[in-house]
Coordinates of all heavy atoms in Angstrom, one line a residue:
L234 N 2.1 3.4 -63.7 CA 2.4 3.5 -65.1 C 3.8 3.6 -65.3 O 4.3 3.6 -66.6 CB 1.7 4.5 -65.8 CG 0.1 4.4 -65.8 CD1 -0.6 5.6 -66.4 CD2 -0.3 3.2 -66.6
G235 N 4.7 3.6 -64.3 CA 6.2 3.7 -64.5 C 6.6 5.1 -64.3 O 5.8 6.0 -64.4
N236 N 8.0 5.3 -64.1 CA 8.5 6.7 -64.0 C 9.1 7.1 -65.2 O 9.7 6.3 -66.0 CB 9.6 6.5 -62.9 CG 9.1 6.2 -61.5 OD1 7.9 6.7 -61.2 ND2 9.8 5.4 -60.7
K237 N 9.0 8.4 -65.5 CA 9.6 9.0 -66.7 C 11.1 8.8 -66.6 O 11.8 8.9 -65.6 CB 9.2 10.4 -66.8 CG 7.8 10.7 -67.0 CD 7.5 12.1 -67.2 CE 6.1 12.4 -67.4 NZ 5.6 13.7 -67.6
G238 N 11.7 8.6 -67.9 CA 13.1 8.6 -68.0 C 13.8 7.2 -67.7 O 14.9 7.0 -67.9
S239 N 13.1 6.1 -67.4 CA 13.6 4.9 -67.0 C 12.8 3.9 -67.9 O 11.7 3.7 -67.8 CB 13.3 4.5 -65.6 OG 13.6 3.1 -65.3
D240 N 13.6 3.2 -68.9 CA 13.1 2.2 -69.8 C 12.5 1.1 -69.0 O 11.5 0.5 -69.3 CB 14.3 1.7 -70.7 CG 13.6 0.9 -71.8 OD1 12.6 1.3 -72.4 OD2 14.2 -0.3 -72.0
K241 N 13.2 0.7 -67.8 CA 12.7 -0.4 -67.0 C 11.4 -0.1 -66.4 O 10.5 -1.0 -66.5 CB 13.8 -0.7 -66.0 CG 13.4 -2.0 -65.1 CD 14.5 -2.2 -64.1 CE 14.2 -3.4 -63.3 NZ 15.3 -3.6 -62.3
E242 N 11.2 1.1 -65.9 CA 10.0 1.5 -65.2 C 8.9 1.5 -66.2 O 7.7 1.3 -66.0 CB 10.2 2.8 -64.5 CG 11.2 2.7 -63.4 CD 10.8 1.8 -62.3 OE1 9.6 1.7 -61.9 OE2 11.6 1.0 -61.7
Y243 N 9.2 2.1 -67.4 CA 8.2 2.1 -68.5 C 7.7 0.8 -68.9 O 6.5 0.6 -69.0 CB 8.9 2.9 -69.6 CG 8.1 2.8 -71.0 CD1 7.0 3.8 -71.2 CD2 8.3 2.0 -72.0 CE1 6.2 3.9 -72.2 CE2 7.7 2.1 -73.3 CZ 6.6 3.0 -73.4 OH 5.8 3.2 -74.5
K244 N 8.5 -0.2 -68.9 CA 8.1 -1.6 -69.2 C 7.2 -2.1 -68.1 O 6.3 -2.8 -68.3 CB 9.4 -2.5 -69.3 CG 10.0 -2.2 -70.7 CD 11.2 -3.0 -70.8 CE 12.1 -2.6 -72.2 NZ 13.2 -3.4 -72.3
Y245 N 7.6 -1.7 -66.8 CA 6.7 -2.2 -65.7 C 5.2 -1.6 -65.8 O 4.3 -2.3 -65.7 CB 7.2 -1.7 -64.4 CG 8.4 -2.5 -63.9 CD1 9.4 -1.8 -63.1 CD2 8.4 -3.9 -63.9 CE1 10.5 -2.6 -62.7 CE2 9.6 -4.6 -63.4 CZ 10.5 -4.0 -62.8 OH 11.5 -4.7 -62.3
G246 N 5.3 -0.3 -66.3 CA 4.0 0.4 -66.6 C 3.2 -0.4 -67.7 O 1.9 -0.6 -67.5
L247 N 3.7 -0.7 -68.6 CA 3.2 -1.4 -69.8 C 2.6 -2.8 -69.4 O 1.6 -3.2 -69.8 CB 4.1 -1.5 -71.0 CG 4.3 -0.3 -71.8 CD1 5.3 -0.5 -73.0 CD2 3.0 0.3 -72.4
T248 N 3.5 -3.4 -68.7 CA 3.0 -4.7 -68.1 C 1.8 -4.7 -67.2 O 1.0 -5.5 -67.3 CB 4.2 -5.4 -67.3 OG1 5.3 -5.5 -68.2 CG2 3.8 -6.7 -66.7
N249 N 1.8 -3.6 -66.4 CA 0.6 -3.4 -65.5 C -0.6 -3.2 -66.4 O -1.7 -3.7 -66.1 CB 0.8 -2.2 -64.6 CG 1.7 -2.5 -63.4 OD1 1.9 -3.6 -63.1 ND2 2.2 -1.5 -62.8
V250 N -0.6 -2.4 -67.5 CA -1.7 -2.1 -68.3 C -2.2 -3.4 -69.0 O -3.3 -3.8 -69.1 CB -1.4 -1.0 -69.3 CG1 -2.6 -1.0 -70.4 CG2 -1.2 0.3 -68.7
A251 N -1.1 -4.1 -69.6 CA -1.5 -5.5 -70.1 C -2.1 -6.5 -69.1 O -3.1 -7.1 -69.6 CB -0.2 -6.1 -70.7
A252 N -1.6 -6.6 -67.9 CA -2.2 -7.4 -67.0 C -3.7 -6.9 -66.6 O -4.6 -7.7 -66.5 CB -1.4 -7.4 -65.7
F253 N -3.9 -5.6 -66.4 CA -5.2 -5.1 -66.3 C -6.2 -5.4 -67.3 O -7.2 -5.8 -67.1 CB -5.1 -3.6 -65.9 CG -6.4 -2.8 -65.8 CD1 -7.1 -2.9 -64.7 CD2 -6.9 -2.1 -67.0 CE1 -8.4 -2.3 -64.5 CE2 -8.1 -1.5 -66.9 CZ -8.8 -1.7 -65.6
L254 N -5.7 -5.2 -68.6 CA -6.7 -5.5 -69.6 C -6.9 -7.0 -69.8 O -8.1 -7.3 -70.1 CB -6.0 -4.9 -70.9 CG -5.9 -3.4 -71.2 CD1 -5.1 -3.1 -72.4 CD2 -7.4 -2.9 -71.2
A255 N -6.0 -7.8 -69.6 CA -6.2 -9.2 -69.6 C -7.2 -9.7 -68.6 O -8.1 -10.5 -68.8 CB -4.9 -10.0 -69.4
Q256 N -7.1 -9.2 -67.3 CA -8.0 -9.6 -66.2 C -9.4 -8.9 -66.6 O -10.3 -9.6 -66.3 CB -7.4 -9.0 -64.9 CG -8.4 -9.3 -63.7 CD -8.3 -11.0 -63.5 OE1 -7.5 -11.6 -63.9 NE2 -9.4 -11.4 -62.8
S257 N -9.4 -7.7 -67.1 CA -10.7 -7.0 -67.4 C -11.5 -7.8 -68.5 O -12.6 -7.9 -68.4 CB -10.5 -5.6 -67.8 OG -10.0 -4.9 -66.8
M258 N -10.8 -8.2 -69.5 CA -11.3 -9.0 -70.5 C -11.9 -10.3 -70.0 O -13.0 -10.7 -70.4 CB -10.4 -9.2 -71.6 CG -10.9 -10.1 -72.8 SD -12.2 -9.2 -73.6 CE -11.3 -8.2 -74.8
K259 N -11.1 -11.0 -69.2 CA -11.5 -12.3 -68.6 C -12.8 -12.2 -67.7 O -13.7 -13.0 -67.9 CB -10.5 -12.8 -67.7 CG -10.8 -14.1 -66.9 CD -10.8 -15.3 -67.8 CE -11.0 -16.5 -67.0 NZ -12.2 -17.2 -67.3
E260 N -12.9 -11.1 -67.0 CA -14.0 -10.9 -66.1 C -15.2 -10.0 -66.5 O -16.2 -10.2 -66.2 CB -13.6 -10.3 -64.7 CG -12.6 -11.3 -63.9 CD -12.4 -10.7 -62.6 OE1 -12.9 -9.8 -62.2 OE2 -11.5 -11.4 -61.9
T261 N -15.0 -9.1 -67.4 CA -16.0 -8.1 -67.7 C -16.2 -7.7 -69.2 O -17.3 -7.8 -69.6 CB -15.8 -6.8 -66.9 OG1 -14.6 -6.2 -67.3 CG2 -15.8 -7.1 -65.4
I262 N -15.1 -7.4 -69.8 CA -15.3 -6.8 -71.2 C -16.0 -7.7 -72.1 O -16.9 -7.3 -73.0 CB -13.9 -6.3 -71.7 CG1 -13.3 -5.1 -70.8 CG2 -14.0 -5.8 -73.2 CD1 -11.9 -4.6 -71.2
K263 N -15.5 -9.0 -72.1 CA -16.2 -9.9 -73.2 C -17.6 -10.2 -72.9 O -18.2 -10.7 -73.8 CB -15.2 -11.2 -73.3 CG -15.4 -12.1 -72.2 CD -14.5 -13.3 -72.4 CE -14.8 -14.5 -71.4 NZ -13.9 -15.6 -71.8
Y264 N -18.0 -9.9 -71.8 CA -19.4 -10.1 -71.4 C -20.2 -8.8 -71.5 O -21.4 -8.8 -71.2 CB -19.6 -10.8 -70.0 CG -18.8 -12.0 -69.9 CD1 -17.7 -12.0 -69.0 CD2 -19.2 -13.1 -70.4 CE1 -16.9 -13.3 -68.9 CE2 -18.4 -14.4 -70.3 CZ -17.3 -14.3 -69.5 OH -16.6 -15.5 -69.4
N265 N -19.5 -7.7 -71.6 CA -20.1 -6.4 -71.7 C -20.9 -6.1 -70.4 O -22.0 -5.7 -70.3 CB -21.1 -6.4 -72.9 CG -21.2 -4.8 -73.3 OD1 -20.3 -4.0 -73.2 ND2 -22.4 -4.5 -73.8
A266 N -20.2 -6.5 -69.2 CA -20.9 -6.4 -67.9 C -19.8 -5.9 -67.0 O -18.6 -5.9 -67.2 CB -21.3 -7.8 -67.5
C267 N -20.3 -5.3 -65.9 CA -19.4 -4.8 -64.9 C -19.2 -6.0 -64.0 O -19.8 -7.0 -64.1 CB -20.0 -3.6 -64.1 SG -21.4 -4.2 -63.1
S268 N -18.1 -5.8 -63.3 CA -17.6 -6.9 -62.4 C -17.7 -6.5 -60.9 O -17.5 -5.4 -60.5 CB -16.2 -7.2 -62.6 OG -15.6 -8.1 -61.7
E269 N -18.3 -7.4 -60.1 CA -18.4 -7.1 -58.7 C -17.3 -7.6 -57.9 O -17.3 -7.7 -56.7 CB -19.8 -7.7 -58.1 CG -19.9 -9.1 -58.2 CD -21.3 -9.6 -57.6 OE1 -22.2 -8.8 -57.7 OE2 -21.3 -10.7 -57.2
N270 N -16.2 -8.2 -58.6 CA -15.1 -8.7 -57.9 C -14.2 -7.5 -57.6 O -13.3 -7.0 -58.3 CB -14.2 -9.6 -58.8 CG -15.0 -10.8 -59.2 OD1 -15.8 -11.3 -58.3 ND2 -14.8 -11.4 -60.3
N271 N -14.5 -6.9 -56.5 CA -13.7 -5.7 -56.0 C -13.4 -6.0 -54.6 O -14.2 -6.1 -53.6 CB -14.5 -4.4 -56.1 CG -13.8 -3.3 -55.7 OD1 -12.9 -3.2 -54.9 ND2 -14.0 -2.2 -56.4
W272 N -12.1 -6.2 -54.3 CA -11.6 -6.6 -53.0 C -11.1 -5.4 -52.1 O -10.3 -5.7 -51.2 CB -10.6 -7.7 -53.1 CG -11.1 -8.7 -54.0 CD1 -10.6 -9.2 -55.2 CD2 -12.2 -9.7 -53.8 NE1 -11.3 -10.2 -55.8 CE2 -12.3 -10.5 -54.8 CE3 -13.1 -9.8 -52.7 CZ2 -13.2 -11.6 -55.0 CZ3 -14.0 -10.8 -52.7 CH2 -14.1 -11.6 -53.9
D273 N -11.4 -4.2 -52.5 CA -10.9 -3.1 -51.7 C -11.8 -2.8 -50.5 O -13.0 -2.5 -50.5 CB -11.0 -1.8 -52.6 CG -10.1 -1.9 -53.7 OD1 -9.0 -2.6 -53.6 OD2 -10.3 -1.2 -54.8
L274 N -11.1 -3.0 -49.3 CA -11.8 -2.8 -48.0 C -11.8 -1.2 -47.7 O -10.8 -0.6 -48.0 CB -11.1 -3.5 -46.9 CG -11.2 -4.9 -46.8 CD1 -10.4 -5.5 -45.8 CD2 -12.7 -5.3 -46.6
I275 N -13.0 -0.8 -47.3 CA -13.1 0.6 -46.9 C -13.6 0.7 -45.5 O -14.6 0.2 -45.2 CB -14.1 1.4 -47.9 CG1 -13.6 1.3 -49.3 CG2 -14.3 2.8 -47.3 CD1 -14.6 1.9 -50.3
Q276 N -12.8 1.1 -44.7 CA -12.9 1.1 -43.2 C -13.4 -0.3 -42.7 O -14.2 -0.5 -41.9 CB -14.0 2.2 -42.8 CG -13.5 3.7 -43.2 CD -14.5 4.7 -42.8 OE1 -15.7 4.3 -42.4 NE2 -14.0 5.9 -42.8
G277 N -12.6 -1.3 -43.3 CA -12.8 -2.6 -42.8 C -14.0 -3.4 -43.4 O -14.3 -4.6 -43.0
V278 N -14.7 -2.8 -44.3 CA -15.8 -3.5 -44.9 C -15.8 -3.3 -46.4 O -15.1 -2.4 -46.9 CB -17.3 -3.0 -44.5 CG1 -17.4 -3.2 -42.9 CG2 -17.4 -1.5 -44.7
Y279 N -16.5 -4.1 -47.3 CA -16.6 -4.0 -48.6 C -17.9 -3.1 -48.9 O -19.0 -3.4 -48.6 CB -16.8 -5.4 -49.3 CG -15.7 -6.3 -49.1 CD1 -15.7 -7.4 -48.3 CD2 -14.5 -5.9 -49.8 CE1 -14.7 -8.2 -48.1 CE2 -13.4 -6.8 -49.6 CZ -13.4 -8.0 -48.7 OH -12.4 -8.8 -48.6
A280 N -17.5 -1.9 -49.5 CA -18.7 -0.9 -49.8 C -19.6 -1.4 -50.7 O -19.3 -2.1 -51.6 CB -18.0 0.4 -50.2
I281 N -20.9 -1.1 -50.6 CA -21.9 -1.4 -51.5 C -21.6 -0.9 -52.9 O -22.0 -1.4 -53.9 CB -23.4 -1.1 -51.0 CG1 -24.4 -1.8 -51.9 CG2 -23.6 0.4 -51.1 CD1 -25.6 -2.0 -51.3
S282 N -20.8 0.3 -52.9 CA -20.6 0.9 -54.2 C -19.5 0.0 -55.0 O -19.3 0.2 -56.2 CB -19.8 2.2 -54.0 OG -18.7 2.1 -53.1
N283 N -18.9 -1.1 -54.4 CA -18.1 -2.0 -55.2 C -19.1 -3.0 -56.1 O -18.4 -3.7 -56.9 CB -17.3 -2.8 -54.2 CG -16.2 -2.0 -53.6 OD1 -16.0 -0.9 -53.8 ND2 -15.7 -2.6 -52.6
A284 N -20.3 -3.0 -55.8 CA -21.1 -4.0 -56.5 C -21.6 -3.4 -57.8 O -21.4 -2.3 -58.2 CB -22.5 -4.3 -55.6
C285 N -22.1 -4.4 -58.6 CA -22.5 -4.1 -60.0 C -23.8 -3.1 -60.0 O -24.5 -3.2 -59.0 CB -22.8 -5.4 -60.7 SG -22.8 -5.2 -62.4
G286 N -24.0 -2.4 -61.0 CA -25.1 -1.5 -61.2 C -24.7 -0.3 -61.8 O -25.6 0.5 -62.2
Q287 N -23.4 0.1 -61.9 CA -23.1 1.3 -62.5 C -23.4 1.3 -64.0 O -23.5 0.2 -64.6 CB -21.6 1.8 -62.2 CG -20.6 0.8 -62.3 CD -20.3 -0.2 -61.3 OE1 -21.1 -0.4 -60.4 NE2 -19.2 -0.9 -61.2
L288 N -23.4 2.4 -64.6 CA -23.7 2.6 -66.1 C -25.1 2.0 -66.5 O -25.3 1.6 -67.6 CB -22.6 1.9 -66.9 CG -21.1 2.4 -66.6 CD1 -20.2 1.5 -67.5 CD2 -21.1 3.8 -67.1
G289 N -26.0 2.1 -65.5 CA -27.4 1.6 -65.8 C -27.5 0.1 -66.1 O -28.5 -0.4 -66.6
Q290 N -26.5 -0.7 -65.7 CA -26.7 -2.1 -65.8 C -27.6 -2.7 -64.8 O -27.8 -2.2 -63.7 CB -25.3 -2.7 -65.8 CG -24.4 -2.3 -66.9 CD -23.1 -3.0 -66.8 OE1 -23.0 -4.1 -67.2 NE2 -22.1 -2.3 -66.2
S291 N -28.1 -3.9 -65.1 CA -29.0 -4.6 -64.2 C -28.9 -6.1 -64.4 O -29.1 -6.6 -65.5 CB -30.5 -4.1 -64.6 OG -31.3 -4.9 -64.0
Y292 N -28.5 -6.8 -63.2 CA -28.3 -8.2 -63.4 C -29.7 -8.9 -63.8 O -29.6 -9.8 -64.6 CB -28.0 -8.8 -62.0 CG -26.6 -8.7 -61.6 CD1 -26.1 -8.6 -60.4 CD2 -25.7 -9.0 -62.6 CE1 -24.7 -8.6 -60.1 CE2 -24.3 -9.0 -62.4 CZ -23.8 -8.8 -61.1 OH -22.5 -8.8 -60.8
Q293 N -30.9 -8.5 -63.4 CA -32.1 -9.2 -63.7 C -32.4 -9.0 -65.3 O -33.1 -9.8 -65.7 CB -33.2 -8.7 -63.0 CG -33.7 -7.3 -63.1 CD -33.0 -6.3 -62.1 OE1 -32.1 -6.6 -61.6 NE2 -33.6 -5.3 -61.9
D294 N -31.7 -8.1 -66.0 CA -32.0 -8.0 -67.3 C -30.9 -8.7 -68.2 O -31.0 -8.7 -69.4 CB -32.0 -6.6 -67.7 CG -33.2 -5.9 -67.1 OD1 -34.3 -6.5 -66.9 OD2 -33.2 -4.7 -66.8
Y295 N -29.9 -9.3 -67.6 CA -28.9 -10.0 -68.3 C -29.4 -11.2 -68.9 O -30.3 -11.9 -68.3 CB -27.7 -10.4 -67.4 CG -26.7 -9.2 -67.1 CD1 -25.8 -9.5 -66.2 CD2 -26.9 -8.1 -67.7 CE1 -24.9 -8.5 -65.8 CE2 -25.9 -7.1 -67.3 CZ -24.9 -7.3 -66.4 OH -24.0 -6.3 -66.1

Side-chain angles (χ1 to χ4, degrees):
L234 293 173
N236 293 323
K237 291 182 181 180
S239 169
D240 189 48
K241 183 177 181 181
E242 298 297 317
Y243 174 73
K244 289 177 182 177
Y245 283 143
L247 287 177
T248 301
N249 283 344
V250 172
F253 172 76
L254 288 174
Q256 184 67 23
S257 297
M258 181 60 86
K259 171 76 174 116
E260 291 188 7
T261 61
I262 297 171
K263 74 179 187 177
Y264 305 110
N265 205 31
C267 69
S268 172
E269 64 182 24
N270 295 327
N271 187 323
W272 308 113
D273 295 334
L274 286 173
I275 299 174
Q276 298 178 349
V278 297
Y279 297 109
I281 195 157
S282 59
N283 291 350
C285 201
Q287 51 277 19
L288 300 174
Q290 295 183 78
S291 169
Y292 273 146
Q293 65 265 24
D294 295 326
Y295 284 168

